[in-house]
Amino acid sequence: MISALNRLVDLVEEHLAEELDVHGLAKELGTTEYHLRRMFSSLAGMPLSEYVRRRRMTVAAADVVRGEDDLLSIAVRYGYGSTEAFGRAFRAVHGSGPGDVRRDGGPLRAQPQLRFRLTVEGSIPMDTRLVDRPAFRLVGHATRVPLIHQGVNPHIQQHITALPQEEHLRLKAFGDTEPGGLLQVCDDLDPDGTEGSELTYLHGVAVSGDTPAPDDLDAIEVPGGMWAVFRTAGPHPQALQTTWAATATEWFPSNPWRLRPGPSIVAVLERADDFSTATCELWLPVEAA
C-alpha cells in the first residue's frame, strides 16, 4: 500500500493538468479505487482531490510569478476553462488572486510533494478479530449528516437525543444478530473522507437477513463478507477516533486486507453514564488484498 500511494503521488505530478485515472492505477496496482482513496485521505490528512488542487496551484504559482504567459493561457494549461475559475482555485490555496501574486510576488502557500514512508510503530497491539458474516440488515432511524473527523458530531448527537427513551429500548430489544446492541452506523461515506461531506447516519441495530423491518424504521441491506473488528476502550469519542485512524496508519499497511464498500459500524459495549468513557467495537468491511 505504501508503494501504491507513492505511485499515485507520482502520477499526480505526471498529469497535473489532466484528469487523474485513479481507477486505472488502482487496477494496475492490484487494489481498488475505493481503498486507495480511503488510505490516501487517512494518511495524508486531506482528500486526494484537495491534494491535486494544491499541487496544481503550487506549480501554477511559479508560472504566474514568472509572467511569461497571460493568465488565461496558464488557466487553460492547468485544466481551467476561464481565468475566473482558475482565480477561485488559486485564491482558495494561496489566499490571494493570481493578479495580486503576479504584481507582488506573493503571498504563496506551497504544497510540497507528498512521500509516504513506512515507520516502525505498532508497539501497542491492536485488539482485532476477523469475522465472516452472512448478509444481514441494519434497521433504525437514519438521517443525512456532515462528516466531522474530530470530537463529537453535534448533528449525530442531536439525531440521537431527539429519539424518546422508549425508542432506544425498543430498538435494542429488536436486534437479533451480531454486531449486538445499539449501533452507530455510517454509510454512503465519501471515499476521500472529505470533512463536511455528507453521509448517512443510522442509529439502530443489526437483524438477520430474513427478519422483516417495521414500516416506521429505515433499513440498510448489508451483503455477506468479511469484517475486521477493532475493540477500543477509554475516553469517548477520542479512543474510538484514535483507533479508527490507526487502522489506516498501522493495521491495513501491515495486514493482507483492504477496505471494501459498505457501512462502518460502531457497537457500544459499555459506557459511563455521561458517555465520557466507553468500550466499543469498530466494524469495518474488508476483503483480501
Side-chain angles (χ1 to χ4, degrees):
M1 180 48 57
I2 297 299
S3 62
L5 290 171
N6 284 327
R7 179 68 187 107
L8 177 58
V9 168
D10 291 340
L11 195 68
V12 169
E13 295 302 308
E14 294 167 14
H15 303 278
L16 273 178
E18 306 165 24
E19 192 66 29
L20 198 61
D21 183 13
V22 184
H23 176 76
L25 176 66
K27 189 174 181 180
E28 175 189 327
L29 295 172
T31 186
T32 64
E33 179 180 355
Y34 182 86
H35 184 68
L36 198 59
R37 286 184 178 274
R38 287 287 296 268
M39 291 299 99
F40 184 95
S41 61
S42 295
L43 294 174
M46 72 182 89
L48 175 60
S49 56
E50 175 64 15
Y51 174 70
V52 171
R53 184 169 68 99
R54 292 185 187 183
R55 282 298 300 156
R56 277 179 180 161
M57 293 303 102
T58 296
V59 177
D63 291 348
V64 169
V65 172
R66 275 195 294 265
E68 296 173 358
D69 299 304
D70 61 76
L71 294 181
L72 179 57
S73 298
I74 297 173
V76 171
R77 183 179 305 150
Y78 290 97
Y80 294 88
S82 68
T83 55
E84 290 78 11
F86 175 71
R88 285 193 296 271
F90 193 94
R91 185 179 295 275
V93 171
H94 297 293
S96 296
D100 299 328
V101 168
R102 171 161 286 184
R103 183 186 66 242
D104 303 328
L108 295 172
R109 298 172 186 159
Q111 169 62 58
Q113 183 176 342
L114 290 178
R115 186 55 51 183
F116 295 92
R117 292 184 176 87
L118 185 62
T119 59
V120 178
E121 295 180 344
S123 58
I124 301 175
M126 297 185 71
D127 188 350
T128 314
R129 60 191 174 103
L130 292 164
V131 181
D132 190 359
R133 292 282 288 111
F136 61 99
R137 180 179 291 127
L138 296 162
V139 297
H141 297 276
T143 187
R144 296 288 288 176
V145 301
L147 174 63
I148 295 176
H149 289 295
Q150 296 294 327
V152 175
N153 188 317
H155 307 278
I156 291 177
Q157 192 174 42
Q158 182 180 8
H159 175 65
I160 296 173
T161 55
L163 298 173
Q165 183 61 33
E166 55 268 23
E167 185 61 14
H168 297 283
L169 298 175
R170 173 200 174 204
L171 286 171
K172 194 169 185 179
F174 188 60
D176 64 5
T177 191
E178 200 177 28
L182 288 174
L183 307 175
Q184 303 168 359
V185 180
C186 294
D187 198 20
D188 295 327
L189 187 67
D190 173 15
D192 282 334
T194 308
E195 181 94 5
S197 60
E198 281 203 334
L199 59 96
T200 296
Y201 176 82
L202 181 137
H203 179 75
V205 293
V207 298
S208 301
D210 56 358
T211 300
D215 293 338
D216 63 332
L217 295 180
D218 301 299
I220 297 174
E221 301 293 335
V222 183
M226 293 294 298
W227 295 79
V229 184
F230 304 88
R231 190 180 180 94
T232 74
H236 189 78
Q238 292 86 353
L240 177 62
Q241 290 170 337
T242 298
T243 296
W244 203 314
T247 64
T249 59
E250 298 183 29
W251 196 82
F252 280 109
S254 56
N255 286 275
W257 300 93
R258 66 188 179 202
L259 283 168
R260 59 182 171 88
S264 57
I265 304 169
V266 174
V268 180
L269 307 181
E270 298 177 357
R271 68 178 182 88
D273 292 339
D274 61 356
F275 229 134
S276 59
T277 62
T279 299
C280 304
E281 282 188 341
L282 170 62
W283 289 61
L284 296 180
V286 297
E287 61 187 5

